[in-house]
Amino acid sequence: MVSQPIPPKSLRVIAKPNTIRWGAADPIKRGAIVGTVSNPKQRNVIGTHAGGYSVYEGLAVASGQLDPQHQPNLQHTQPVVAMRPNAAWRNRERIVTLDPWGAMTTEVFAPLYEQGYNIRPTIAITRATLNMPEIQQAVQSGRLEPDGEILLADGGLRVTKFAIEPVWYLPGIAQRLNVREKALRRALHDHTGGMYPELISRFDLKVFLPPIGGATVYLMGDHAAIAEQPVTVRVHDECNGSDVFGSDICTCRPYLIHGLEECIETAQSGGVGLTVYTRKEGRALGEVTKFLVYNARKQVGDEAEGYFERTECVAGVTDMRFQELMPDVLHWLGVKRIDRLVSMSDMKYDAIVESGIEVLNRIPIRADLIPADAWVEINAKKAAGYYDGSTD
């Protein structure tokens, strides 16, 4: 793959919008996603790149720190692994929340770059070594054995990281949620305060770049082995308090670590481990709502029987993560079968299976990993029918 340089200003043209034909097998026929604002005549989507970070770009422009016409030089930024299309990439129903070509823009849209289109990647792929104390402790205790390739002697974990921005094909989103596209557009328009008037005025624009966080995939093992070797998956929704700061009121970080350990063991045996981390703080209700619910639980009595009721009293619903949209990233990676799904959630399991991916085994969290204050959550989930392994 060769990254394309920015065309000299003398060679740039005022390009018209290229048509997006979602699901087309040929990327040029599919069309590039152009959400940049440097040339409004090129734009063919609703919204802008970078989700909520676009607001900070606005601040940088307003304060004079960023040239509003800046066009990034994408040389040497290509993915560290070769992504090759699979059947899901050309299925306009299977993938509707991300751009399958988003990591390969400089390669597949080279003719458009040469014409002066300001195309931004929506997926970036790199490698890193993670250093997490729990993994290091697992090595020290002998629970995990270093192999020198995936897991190092000091407990460092080598991974391939995929950062993915959301790119929504609105007709596909509407179909996935079993609603009319017009109703979907109206609700999105109204509940973003009319921020995106094109949602209801430009039905010719079918792609929306929503102002939300995306997902990061942490892959252990060889990406090319996904289709042939065992695959372990942990789909983890963001929980800043637990994941980062170790709050003991929930099982989020313990479950994240548990999932990573399962992924490591699968990768060490020749398979692939996938931890998908999605930005859906507080079941996509937000951290303010989550903290309000915490207060309500503590003040009225923190018991399993009222666990979900407290959330519904504050938020109106118990969960807004819409797991129906979650499996797209798995299809994009080429996952057809999950040998070990590290999750108690029936919503996640059902969404994955109903999307056409076979799940052979489900792995609940071990009891010894559950913080004392988090048993209310676990007991509430068990009472609500979440999978806990007891029916195996």
Side-chain angles (χ1 to χ4, degrees):
M1 181 185 301
V2 179
S3 292
Q4 299 297 316
I6 300 174
K9 289 185 178 181
S10 60
L11 298 181
R12 297 183 197 174
V13 298
I14 298 177
K16 64 181 180 180
N18 69 114
T19 301
I20 298 176
R21 299 178 179 87
W22 197 265
D26 181 275
I28 293 295
K29 291 181 179 178
R30 200 297 302 272
I33 302 296
V34 184
T36 47
V37 298
S38 54
N39 187 339
K41 293 183 178 181
Q42 296 179 353
R43 287 171 47 80
N44 57 8
V45 301
I46 303 166
T48 59
H49 293 291
Y53 292 104
S54 61
V55 175
Y56 289 99
E57 286 192 18
L59 292 179
V61 169
S63 62
Q65 299 179 46
L66 175 65
D67 180 353
Q69 296 300 314
H70 171 72
Q71 189 165 337
N73 187 330
L74 297 174
Q75 288 183 309
H76 313 301
T77 64
Q78 60 265 32
V80 298
V81 297
M83 296 299 297
R84 290 294 173 257
N86 60 59
W89 288 32
R90 56 182 182 270
N91 187 323
R92 60 191 301 165
E93 298 178 0
R94 189 59 55 91
I95 295 179
V96 300
T97 63
L98 59 89
D99 177 10
W101 303 100
M104 305 168 64
T105 59
T106 56
E107 175 184 2
V108 299
F109 297 122
L112 296 178
Y113 279 101
E114 292 171 359
Q115 295 174 40
Y117 283 87
N118 187 354
I119 305 166
R120 304 285 177 90
T122 58
I123 300 174
I125 308 173
T126 190
R127 288 197 176 97
T129 299
L130 308 184
N131 291 287
M132 305 183 73
E134 293 93 337
I135 301 299
Q136 294 168 344
Q137 291 166 9
V139 169
Q140 294 169 3
S141 69
R143 190 168 68 249
L144 290 176
E145 291 289 338
D147 58 90
E149 293 293 330
I150 297 167
L151 187 60
L152 306 181
D154 64 358
L157 174 59
R158 287 179 172 167
V159 299
T160 303
K161 300 195 297 184
F162 302 69
I164 303 171
E165 289 183 4
V167 178
W168 286 5
Y169 176 58
L170 290 172
I173 298 283
Q175 182 177 352
R176 188 78 61 84
L177 300 181
N178 195 29
V179 300
R180 293 182 299 112
E181 182 185 345
K182 185 176 181 180
L184 172 68
R185 286 173 171 264
R186 170 58 70 176
L188 291 171
H189 171 271
D190 291 353
H191 288 273
T192 55
M195 187 188 304
Y196 303 100
E198 298 91 345
L199 283 166
I200 57 175
S201 66
R202 294 287 305 276
F203 273 78
D204 59 309
L205 298 178
K206 299 295 185 181
V207 175
F208 178 39
L209 306 184
I212 60 175
T216 307
V217 177
Y218 295 85
L219 183 147
M220 287 138 270
D222 182 5
H223 168 260
I226 284 178
E228 305 294 337
Q229 300 298 328
V231 176
T232 291
V233 172
R234 166 67 183 167
V235 178
H236 190 92
D237 297 320
E238 178 183 31
C239 177
N240 180 68
S242 178
D243 295 341
V244 179
F245 295 101
S247 171
D248 65 353
I249 198 171
C250 63
T251 59
C252 293
R253 183 176 175 94
Y255 223 144
L256 177 62
I257 300 300
H258 180 45
L260 285 171
E261 289 193 20
E262 293 284 343
C263 288
I264 291 168
E265 292 180 346
T266 298
Q268 287 179 322
S269 65
V272 177
L274 294 172
T275 296
V276 182
Y277 193 90
T278 66
R279 270 64 182 194
K280 297 179 181 178
E281 178 66 60
R283 301 185 199 152
L285 301 171
E287 201 164 37
V288 169
T289 295
K290 181 164 73 170
F291 286 10
L292 295 174
V293 172
Y294 286 168
N295 289 346
R297 285 171 50 191
K298 296 296 184 181
Q299 291 184 37
V300 302
D302 196 10
E303 298 179 351
E305 291 75 12
Y307 180 85
F308 292 107
E309 181 183 354
R310 295 281 72 78
T311 301
E312 189 167 359
C313 285
V314 175
V317 295
T318 59
D319 198 308
M320 289 199 306
R321 284 175 288 183
F322 289 97
Q323 301 293 1
E324 301 97 318
L325 306 177
M326 170 268 294
D328 292 29
V329 64
L330 301 176
H331 289 290
W332 176 70
L333 289 165
V335 175
K336 295 182 178 179
R337 183 200 67 255
I338 296 174
D339 296 83
R340 296 170 69 80
L341 176 63
V342 188
S343 177
M344 293 176 65
S345 171
D346 285 341
M347 288 184 291
K348 292 177 182 177
Y349 171 80
D350 291 343
I352 291 170
V353 171
E354 289 171 7
S355 78
I357 297 174
E358 182 183 12
V359 175
L360 301 184
N361 298 286
R362 299 173 68 183
I363 312 299
I365 191 170
R366 300 197 318 266
D368 63 292
L369 298 177
I370 301 172
D373 208 25
W375 274 103
V376 172
E377 171 202 329
I378 291 296
N379 290 331
K381 289 180 175 180
K382 288 181 178 180
Y386 280 55
Y387 178 81
D388 65 1
S390 61
T391 58
D392 287 355

